[in-house]
Amino acid sequence: MRRWLIEILLDMNQNERRTFLEFCTSCGRLPVGGMKALGLKILPEQPGRTLPRSRACANTLFLPDYP
């Protein structure tokens, strides 16, 4: 799951990455120290949900279990 996310992020252009970051954190810029300093948590989504969701206040991304 995380490997796919990293591959997709590497394929994104700068604007798409900014949009992704805003979805996950409500901020379009990385903090000083980059992704490591951001502390983004990636967790599995509840069964039955098919779309990703986030809790921006907690820097958490929930991903469905993709086959």
Side-chain angles (χ1 to χ4, degrees):
M1 176 170 42
R2 291 177 193 212
R3 188 174 343 145
W4 289 348
L5 179 60
I6 292 169
E7 289 174 13
I8 290 169
L9 286 170
L10 290 173
D11 286 341
M12 288 180 175
N13 64 40
Q14 201 68 0
N15 194 39
E16 291 168 328
R17 288 180 188 163
R18 182 177 298 116
T19 301
F20 171 80
L21 197 57
E22 286 178 0
F23 175 73
C24 295
T25 67
S26 294
C27 183
R29 293 178 169 252
L30 286 172
V32 175
M35 284 296 284
K36 187 175 183 178
L38 180 64
L40 180 65
K41 295 178 278 285
I42 302 169
L43 301 174
E45 182 55 276
Q46 298 171 356
R49 293 206 174 212
T50 58
L51 296 174
R53 68 181 175 99
S54 69
R55 280 205 174 141
C57 59
N59 292 346
T60 305
L61 176 65
F62 296 92
L63 293 177
D65 187 23
Y66 295 109

